[in-house]
Amino acid sequence: MPALTSFTTTTSSARRTTEISRSSWRRSQQNTCNPTKRECATIARVVAQKRRIPLATKYNANSNLATTPTSPTRISLPRTLPRPVLGEVDASLLVEAYPDLAGIPAEYLRDRLPLSAPSMCAALKAAQTTASSSVLPKELQILMNDTVAAACPTHMLAVYNDAPIAFGTKRHVSLFPIHDIVLRAYCANLPAFAPSHPSTSSSHATLPVVPLRIPSPETFSLLHGYLYTQHSPSFLAALAPPCASASDLLQLATHASKIHGLWRNACALGVVDAQLYDIIESSWERTLAAMQSCSA
């Protein structure tokens, strides 16, 4: 992203100039005291466009934040990050993977999962694997130890996006060990996972690799961690805008890009959690306010 020296809140419509034909201009000059209704309407539109300077209101959950190509000093941001319609996860997929959950509402499961978060998060941190091949394998092994065995991960997510890459280069893939029950409980749009119940009795555990395409792989770890712990103060602190001075607008723009990427991931995965969107929305508003203060 190019360096930003000012923050301009413009919409695409505000950037378009309204052209008035010469004949209309002459008529308005000849009769300035009594303009026609059509000319009044034209003038009103021009004035309204000049006064309307909100952040861009058009959004697309599958698009990146767009900088204006003709000027390195402008960045177009949506004023709000609209909350998706929150549905519910498919309980049958949970029961298919965990028959003991039959008859248990997904909402109740989400309330209970944070109780297991400490052991699961410790296992994720302790899990070690090496992908030596340049081709994504179907399975990966992780080293087994007491911490991993206490709450062994079930799958290995291979997270990537579909952004264009240069010819001859390889697409970057990030690997995340996960417990599928957490993602199944929170993500309504999650693709099907192969059943996995790795053995903890040997020195290694074999995990199926699940490719997962999301809009913003670089912010997935933040979302993933929140789904495990549901600890809103830590999540809110991670999204708080940095204390930037007037010369640090680029830092704030980078932070806005992180929040936007997190929101795009949540929308794409269909995350069922109202608190998550509350925090994203408040963090977005605070970041935009900081950017406007810098550019004032």
Side-chain angles (χ1 to χ4, degrees):
M1 183 180 296
L4 304 178
T5 57
S6 66
F7 179 66
T8 306
T9 56
T10 58
T11 63
S12 58
S13 60
R15 288 193 296 268
R16 293 195 296 267
T17 59
T18 303
E19 297 181 354
I20 303 177
S21 65
R22 293 183 178 179
S23 58
S24 297
W25 182 83
R26 290 194 185 98
R27 288 197 301 270
S28 64
Q29 293 298 310
Q30 293 170 359
N31 193 15
T32 55
C33 297
N34 186 25
T36 65
K37 292 182 178 180
R38 179 175 298 178
E39 290 167 344
C40 287
T42 301
I43 296 171
R45 284 197 300 271
V46 173
V47 173
Q49 288 177 344
K50 290 181 178 180
R51 290 178 178 175
R52 187 170 59 246
I53 54 170
L55 298 172
T57 54
K58 293 184 179 180
Y59 67 93
N60 184 340
N62 294 318
S63 65
N64 291 314
L65 296 181
T67 54
T68 307
T70 58
S71 174
T73 63
R74 294 183 179 181
I75 181 170
S76 179
L77 303 177
R79 180 177 290 278
T80 61
L81 299 181
R83 183 175 306 207
V85 177
L86 300 183
E88 187 51 274
V89 299
D90 189 345
S92 65
L93 296 178
L94 277 167
V95 174
E96 182 180 346
Y98 301 93
D100 293 343
L101 296 179
I104 298 179
E107 184 177 1
Y108 176 81
L109 177 61
R110 289 192 291 269
D111 290 339
R112 305 297 295 178
L113 278 173
L115 299 178
S116 303
S119 60
M120 289 193 293
C121 291
L124 295 181
K125 291 181 181 180
Q128 298 181 14
T129 187
T130 302
S132 58
S133 173
S134 60
V135 178
L136 192 66
K138 293 183 178 180
E139 295 180 336
L140 281 174
Q141 287 188 333
I142 59 173
L143 295 175
M144 187 60 62
N145 54 44
D146 292 342
T147 303
V148 175
C152 187
T154 59
H155 296 76
M156 186 70 70
L157 279 190
V159 176
Y160 68 100
N161 64 19
D162 56 359
I165 58 176
F167 178 77
T169 61
K170 296 183 181 296
R171 185 172 298 280
H172 179 73
V173 175
S174 299
L175 297 176
F176 292 88
I178 64 158
H179 299 87
D180 66 335
I181 190 172
V182 175
L183 270 68
R184 289 180 190 272
Y186 282 100
C187 302
N189 299 338
L190 199 67
F193 284 7
S196 174
H197 300 283
S199 172
T200 59
S201 60
S202 62
S203 60
H204 294 78
T206 301
L207 307 184
V209 175
V210 180
L212 182 67
R213 184 179 65 184
I214 57 175
S216 176
E218 59 274 14
T219 62
F220 178 75
S221 60
L222 187 60
L223 175 62
H224 187 215
Y226 170 78
L227 294 182
Y228 272 78
T229 65
Q230 291 290 298
H231 192 247
S232 56
S234 299
F235 190 57
L236 188 60
L239 296 184
C243 298
S245 64
S247 61
D248 293 329
L249 187 56
L250 179 58
Q251 185 180 1
L252 286 168
T254 301
H255 185 73
S257 179
K258 179 175 76 171
I259 299 175
H260 191 264
L262 177 67
W263 168 76
R264 293 168 65 208
N265 284 344
C267 293
L269 294 174
V271 174
V272 182
D273 187 87
Q275 179 181 253
L276 169 76
Y277 297 103
D278 288 340
I279 295 174
I280 289 176
E281 289 169 7
S282 65
S283 301
W284 184 254
E285 292 174 359
R286 293 163 61 193
T287 300
L288 294 192
M291 294 181 74
Q292 289 176 323
S293 297
C294 281
S295 62

